[in-house]
């Protein structure tokens, strides 16, 4: 797979360069409202570059006691999935925070559905159904992130 093609209704929220723990080189990261996409490009002399794309569905992120299993410490973010873990290192803590906040905002409908199910209520609708309103909700939630203090 040389490139990642967005699905119908899928929106790109973040594009950044990251390092994956225990792997050499810098990767391209794309967070969409459905997936975390990591693209690796390996340059080869006199040959076409090798490109690999790894896709991690946001819906596969573990949720334990209504808390998404995403941990951020400075510029490092660890995302726990049902069957694996993704350890990302961003260029700065602000970029890592932005990624963390937007990813957690994407999981809010799923968390609310789990809470409703635990309370014996039927969830209102599919928590991952795309609606323009839900997309705007994620966008506005990310805007609420406080800005990093200015350097003195």
């Amino acid at each position: 797979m040389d490139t990642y093609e967005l699905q119908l209704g899928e929106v790109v929220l973040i594009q950044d360069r990251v390092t994956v723990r225990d792997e050499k080189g810098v990767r391209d990261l794309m967070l969409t409202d459905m997936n975390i996409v990591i693209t690796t490009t390996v340059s080869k002399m006199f040959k076409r570059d090798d490109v690999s794309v790894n896709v991690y569905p946001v819906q596969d992120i573990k949720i334990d006691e209504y808390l998404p299993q995403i941990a951020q410490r400075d510029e490092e973010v660890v995302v726990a999935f049902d069957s694996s873990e993704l350890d990302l290192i961003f260029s700065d803590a602000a970029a890592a925070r932005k990624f963390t906040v937007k990813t957690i905002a994407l999981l809010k409908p799923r968390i609310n559905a789990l809470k409703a199910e635990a309370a014996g209520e039927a969830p209102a609708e599919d928590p991952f159904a795309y609606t323009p309103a839900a997309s705007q909700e994620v966008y506005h939630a990310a805007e609420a992130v406080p800005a990093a203090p200015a350097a003195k």
Side-chain angles (χ1 to χ4, degrees):
M1 178 186 248
D2 288 346
T3 61
Y4 177 77
E5 299 209 13
L6 295 174
Q7 297 174 24
L8 183 63
E10 189 172 12
V11 179
V12 176
L13 302 173
I14 296 176
Q15 286 185 312
D16 206 344
R17 308 261 303 151
V18 297
T19 303
V20 177
R21 168 97 42 220
D22 299 330
E23 293 183 20
K24 293 180 181 178
V26 178
R27 315 277 195 270
D28 291 318
L29 171 122
M30 181 170 49
L31 173 66
T32 72
D33 57 347
M34 297 179 191
N35 297 305
I36 299 170
V37 182
I38 307 287
T39 305
T40 306
T41 305
V42 177
S43 298
K44 294 192 171 198
M45 285 183 94
F46 309 114
K47 291 185 180 179
R48 206 167 114 185
D49 294 348
D50 283 343
V51 177
S52 66
V53 178
N54 294 326
V55 179
Y56 302 89
V58 171
Q59 67 188 10
D60 289 351
I61 294 175
K62 272 188 188 175
I63 295 178
D64 186 31
E65 295 183 14
Y66 312 118
L67 296 173
Q69 298 303 296
I70 302 172
Q72 181 211 346
R73 183 173 197 159
D74 298 325
E75 49 285 310
E76 184 175 355
V77 177
V78 178
V79 182
F81 294 93
D82 294 332
S83 60
S84 64
E85 223 174 60
L86 184 60
D87 195 343
L88 305 170
I89 302 170
F90 288 81
S91 58
D92 58 42
R97 179 76 181 144
K98 184 177 176 183
F99 173 83
T100 303
V101 168
K102 284 191 179 190
T103 305
I104 290 172
L106 289 170
L107 293 169
K108 273 263 199 236
R110 183 168 157 216
I111 293 167
N112 291 339
L114 289 171
K115 287 180 180 179
E117 186 178 304
E121 303 168 9
E125 57 187 58
D126 179 10
F128 282 99
Y130 173 78
T131 62
S135 180
Q136 287 297 325
E137 204 175 290
V138 169
Y139 177 75
H140 293 300
E143 285 181 339
V145 175
K152 293 183 180 182

